[in-house]
């Protein structure tokens, strides 16, 4: 008898659970049905002429001041740009620049003078700029081994680095054309008789230093072949600390680009004459490239770049222009709202 009672209770409980689950299942079925039939509640604003014109005006009024603010921030950046690849060639090599840069017996030392146009507040960033240099060439971009940069000789496959994968049967670390062509011009700065210290630490992205280049991976067999591409690397310093290499390995998308060389952490006054002793090692003459030295301050928006501000102004101006066009069309040829053609309004129209 107890068994029958317990079975009866269990049956009633199962029926109760099933009866409670039916509304939930029915609700889910209804939701799925409404979703598949596109009957879910939705906001469907009526785009009246007044609403559209107002929105175009509002967007234009917002965008133009933002663009002017960006342009002001960009123009507040002070830059000194000096192209030196032509002037640093001796007079007797002006017509033979490629022979000059390849002749190791000819001195590559050069002195340049830069006049500070306005007060420049620290930090002052030093860049080298290369023009007509296509780092985005497909074969050049693919000529590297990210696994080798992180794991070193533990990863022996250097097939992706050809033609700079191996030398004398031994793997090159770091391998590939990008590392092989590492920029090797050097700069030192003087303000009068005082040397200006250049901080060359933390010029690469921290994520690159910590996660893409091994702390126990050291250069090996690098620039040891008959054809030397660019700078050499200290074999006693791990790749994670070779920040020049890390900066260079982040290839540029456009043929004109700048890469960070270091930072000057003292202020420069207006009228200061900065003497730059540089070594003109890097060969850009073979392909018609250009080299420039850039000193630049920054603003809250970054370096000097008018593109963002001009884009905001252009978009805002175009929106206001379109708003005026819509306004004139609406005033000249107003059209009745579309709801007058709905069936429930026909009776009112017929009366």
């Amino acid at each position: 008898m107890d068994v029958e009672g317990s079975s009866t209770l269990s049956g009633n409980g199962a029926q109760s659970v099933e009866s409670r689950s039916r509304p939930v299942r029915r609700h889910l079925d209804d939701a799925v049905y409404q979703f598949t039939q596109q009957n879910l509640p939705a906001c469907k604003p009526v785009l009246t002429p007044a609403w559209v014109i107002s929105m175009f005006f509002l967007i234009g009024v917002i965008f133009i001041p933002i663009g002017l603010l960006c342009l002001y921030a960009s123009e507040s950046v002070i830059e000194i740009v000096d192209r030196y690849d032509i002037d640093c060639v001796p007079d007797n090599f002006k017509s033979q620049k490629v022979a000059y840069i390849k002749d190791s017996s000819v001195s590559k030392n050069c002195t340049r003078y830069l006049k500070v146009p306005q007060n420049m507040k620290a930090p002052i960033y030093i860049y080298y700029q290369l023009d007509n240099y296509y780092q985005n060439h497909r074969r050049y971009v693919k000529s590297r081994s990210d696994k080798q940069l992180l794991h070193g000789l533990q990863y022996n496959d250097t097939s992706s680095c050809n033609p700079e994968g191996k030398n004398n049967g031994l793997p090159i670390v770091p391998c590939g054309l990008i590392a092989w062509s590492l920029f090797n011009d050097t700069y030192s700065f003087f303000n009068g008789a005082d040397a200006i210290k250049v901080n060359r630490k933390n010029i690469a992205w921290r994520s690159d230093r910590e996660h893409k280049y091994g702390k126990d991976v050291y250069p090996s067999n690098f620039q040891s072949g008959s054809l030397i591409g660019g700078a050499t690397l200290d074999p006693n310093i791990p790749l994670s600390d070779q920040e020049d290499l890390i900066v260079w390995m982040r290839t540029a998308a456009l043929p004109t680009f700048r890469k960070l060389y270091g930072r000057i952490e003292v202020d420069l006054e207006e009228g200061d004459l900065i003497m730059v002793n540089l070594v003109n090692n890097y060969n850009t003459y073979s392909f018609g490239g250009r080299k420039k030295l850039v000193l630049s301050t920054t603003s809250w928006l970054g370096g000097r770049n008018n593109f963002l501000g001009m884009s905001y102004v252009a978009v805002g101006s175009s929106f206001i222009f379109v708003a005026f066009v819509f306004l004139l069309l609406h005033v000249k040829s107003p059209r009745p709202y579309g709801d007058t053609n709905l069936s429930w309004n026909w009776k009112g129209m017929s009366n």
Side-chain angles (χ1 to χ4, degrees), residues 147-179:
K147 291 183 178 180
Q148 188 206 61
L149 294 173
L150 184 61
H151 302 293
L153 292 175
Q154 299 177 19
Y155 187 80
N156 295 323
D157 185 7
T158 59
S159 57
S160 62
C161 296
N162 292 330
E164 289 296 321
K166 293 184 178 182
N167 183 42
N168 296 325
L170 299 175
I172 300 173
V173 181
C175 67
L177 288 173
I178 305 177

Coordinates of all heavy atoms in Angstrom, one line a residue, residues 147-179:
K147 N 58.7 31.9 -35.5 CA 59.0 30.8 -34.5 C 60.5 30.8 -34.1 O 60.8 30.6 -33.0 CB 58.6 29.4 -35.0 CG 57.1 29.3 -35.2 CD 56.7 27.9 -35.6 CE 55.2 27.7 -35.7 NZ 54.8 26.3 -36.2
Q148 N 61.3 31.1 -35.1 CA 62.7 31.1 -34.8 C 63.1 32.4 -34.0 O 63.9 32.3 -33.1 CB 63.6 31.2 -36.1 CG 65.1 31.1 -35.9 CD 65.9 31.7 -37.0 OE1 65.8 32.9 -37.2 NE2 66.7 30.9 -37.7
L149 N 62.4 33.5 -34.2 CA 62.6 34.7 -33.4 C 62.3 34.4 -31.9 O 62.9 35.0 -31.0 CB 61.8 35.9 -33.9 CG 62.2 36.4 -35.3 CD1 61.2 37.4 -35.8 CD2 63.6 37.0 -35.3
L150 N 61.3 33.5 -31.7 CA 60.9 33.2 -30.3 C 61.7 32.1 -29.7 O 62.0 32.1 -28.5 CB 59.4 32.9 -30.3 CG 58.7 32.7 -29.0 CD1 58.9 33.9 -28.1 CD2 57.3 32.3 -29.1
H151 N 62.0 31.1 -30.5 CA 62.6 29.9 -29.9 C 64.1 29.7 -30.4 O 64.7 28.7 -29.9 CB 61.8 28.6 -30.4 CG 60.4 28.7 -29.9 ND1 60.0 28.6 -28.6 CD2 59.2 28.8 -30.7 CE1 58.6 28.7 -28.5 NE2 58.2 28.8 -29.8
G152 N 64.6 30.4 -31.3 CA 66.0 30.3 -31.7 C 66.2 29.1 -32.5 O 65.5 28.6 -33.3
L153 N 67.4 28.5 -32.2 CA 67.9 27.3 -32.9 C 67.0 26.0 -32.6 O 67.2 25.0 -33.2 CB 69.3 27.0 -32.6 CG 70.3 28.0 -33.1 CD1 71.7 27.7 -32.7 CD2 70.3 28.1 -34.7
Q154 N 66.1 26.1 -31.6 CA 65.2 25.0 -31.3 C 64.3 24.8 -32.5 O 63.7 23.7 -32.7 CB 64.4 25.3 -30.1 CG 65.3 25.4 -28.8 CD 64.4 25.8 -27.6 OE1 63.2 25.6 -27.6 NE2 65.1 26.3 -26.6
Y155 N 64.1 25.8 -33.3 CA 63.3 25.7 -34.5 C 64.2 25.8 -35.7 O 64.7 26.9 -36.0 CB 62.2 26.8 -34.5 CG 61.2 26.7 -35.6 CD1 60.1 25.8 -35.5 CD2 61.3 27.4 -36.8 CE1 59.2 25.6 -36.6 CE2 60.4 27.3 -37.8 CZ 59.4 26.4 -37.7 OH 58.4 26.3 -38.7
N156 N 64.4 24.7 -36.4 CA 65.4 24.7 -37.4 C 64.9 24.9 -38.8 O 65.7 25.1 -39.8 CB 66.1 23.3 -37.4 CG 66.9 23.0 -36.1 OD1 67.5 24.0 -35.6 ND2 66.8 21.8 -35.6
D157 N 63.6 25.0 -39.0 CA 63.1 25.2 -40.4 C 63.2 26.7 -40.8 O 62.5 27.5 -40.2 CB 61.6 24.7 -40.4 CG 61.0 24.8 -41.8 OD1 61.8 25.1 -42.8 OD2 59.8 24.6 -42.0
T158 N 64.1 27.0 -41.7 CA 64.3 28.3 -42.1 C 63.9 28.5 -43.6 O 64.4 29.4 -44.3 CB 65.7 28.8 -41.9 OG1 66.6 27.9 -42.7 CG2 66.1 28.8 -40.5
S159 N 63.0 27.6 -44.1 CA 62.7 27.6 -45.5 C 61.9 28.9 -45.9 O 62.0 29.4 -47.0 CB 61.8 26.4 -45.9 OG 60.7 26.4 -45.1
S160 N 61.2 29.5 -44.9 CA 60.4 30.7 -45.2 C 61.3 31.9 -45.3 O 60.9 33.0 -45.7 CB 59.4 30.9 -44.1 OG 60.0 31.1 -42.8
C161 N 62.6 31.8 -44.9 CA 63.5 32.9 -44.8 C 64.4 33.0 -46.1 O 65.2 34.0 -46.2 CB 64.5 32.8 -43.6 SG 63.7 32.8 -42.0
N162 N 64.3 32.1 -47.0 CA 65.1 32.2 -48.2 C 64.9 33.5 -48.9 O 63.9 34.1 -48.9 CB 64.7 31.0 -49.2 CG 65.1 29.7 -48.6 OD1 66.0 29.5 -47.9 ND2 64.3 28.6 -49.0
P163 N 66.0 34.0 -49.4 CA 67.4 33.4 -49.6 C 68.3 33.6 -48.4 O 69.5 33.3 -48.6 CB 67.9 34.1 -50.9 CG 67.3 35.5 -50.7 CD 66.0 35.3 -50.1
E164 N 67.9 34.2 -47.3 CA 68.7 34.4 -46.2 C 68.3 33.5 -45.0 O 68.1 33.9 -43.9 CB 68.6 35.8 -45.7 CG 69.3 36.8 -46.7 CD 70.8 36.6 -46.8 OE1 71.4 36.3 -45.7 OE2 71.3 36.7 -47.9
G165 N 68.2 32.1 -45.3 CA 67.9 31.2 -44.3 C 69.1 30.5 -43.7 O 69.1 30.3 -42.5
K166 N 70.1 30.2 -44.5 CA 71.3 29.5 -44.1 C 72.5 30.1 -44.7 O 72.4 30.6 -45.8 CB 71.2 28.0 -44.3 CG 70.1 27.3 -43.5 CD 70.2 25.8 -43.8 CE 69.2 25.0 -42.9 NZ 69.2 23.6 -43.1
N167 N 73.6 29.9 -44.1 CA 74.9 30.3 -44.6 C 76.0 29.3 -44.2 O 76.1 29.0 -43.0 CB 75.3 31.7 -44.1 CG 76.6 32.2 -44.7 OD1 76.8 32.1 -45.9 ND2 77.5 32.8 -43.9
N168 N 76.6 28.8 -45.2 CA 77.6 27.7 -45.0 C 77.0 26.5 -44.3 O 77.6 25.8 -43.5 CB 78.8 28.2 -44.2 CG 79.6 29.3 -44.9 OD1 79.7 29.3 -46.1 ND2 80.1 30.3 -44.1
G169 N 75.7 26.2 -44.7 CA 75.1 25.1 -44.1 C 74.5 25.2 -42.7 O 73.9 24.3 -42.2
L170 N 74.7 26.4 -42.1 CA 74.2 26.7 -40.7 C 73.1 27.7 -40.8 O 73.1 28.6 -41.6 CB 75.4 27.2 -39.9 CG 76.6 26.2 -39.7 CD1 77.7 26.9 -38.9 CD2 76.1 25.0 -39.0
P171 N 72.1 27.5 -39.9 CA 71.0 28.5 -39.9 C 71.4 29.8 -39.4 O 72.3 30.0 -38.6 CB 70.0 27.8 -39.0 CG 70.8 26.9 -38.1 CD 71.9 26.4 -38.9
I172 N 70.8 30.9 -40.0 CA 71.0 32.2 -39.6 C 70.0 32.7 -38.6 O 68.8 32.4 -38.8 CB 71.0 33.2 -40.8 CG1 72.0 32.8 -41.9 CG2 71.2 34.6 -40.4 CD1 71.9 33.5 -43.2
V173 N 70.4 33.3 -37.5 CA 69.5 33.8 -36.5 C 69.8 35.3 -36.3 O 70.9 35.6 -35.9 CB 69.6 33.0 -35.2 CG1 68.7 33.6 -34.1 CG2 69.4 31.5 -35.4
P174 N 68.9 36.2 -36.5 CA 67.6 36.0 -37.1 C 67.7 35.8 -38.7 O 68.5 36.5 -39.3 CB 66.8 37.2 -36.8 CG 67.9 38.3 -36.7 CD 69.1 37.6 -36.1
C175 N 66.9 35.0 -39.2 CA 66.9 34.7 -40.7 C 66.0 35.6 -41.4 O 65.1 36.2 -40.8 CB 66.7 33.3 -40.9 SG 65.0 32.7 -40.6
G176 N 66.1 35.7 -42.7 CA 65.2 36.4 -43.6 C 65.7 37.7 -44.1 O 66.7 38.3 -43.6
L177 N 65.1 38.2 -45.1 CA 65.5 39.5 -45.8 C 65.2 40.7 -44.9 O 65.9 41.7 -45.0 CB 64.7 39.6 -47.1 CG 65.2 38.7 -48.2 CD1 64.3 38.8 -49.5 CD2 66.6 39.0 -48.7
I178 N 64.2 40.6 -44.1 CA 63.9 41.8 -43.3 C 65.0 42.1 -42.3 O 65.5 43.2 -42.2 CB 62.5 41.6 -42.5 CG1 61.4 41.3 -43.5 CG2 62.2 42.8 -41.7 CD1 60.1 41.0 -42.8
A179 N 65.4 41.0 -41.5 CA 66.5 41.2 -40.6 C 67.8 41.5 -41.3 O 68.6 42.3 -40.9 CB 66.6 39.9 -39.8

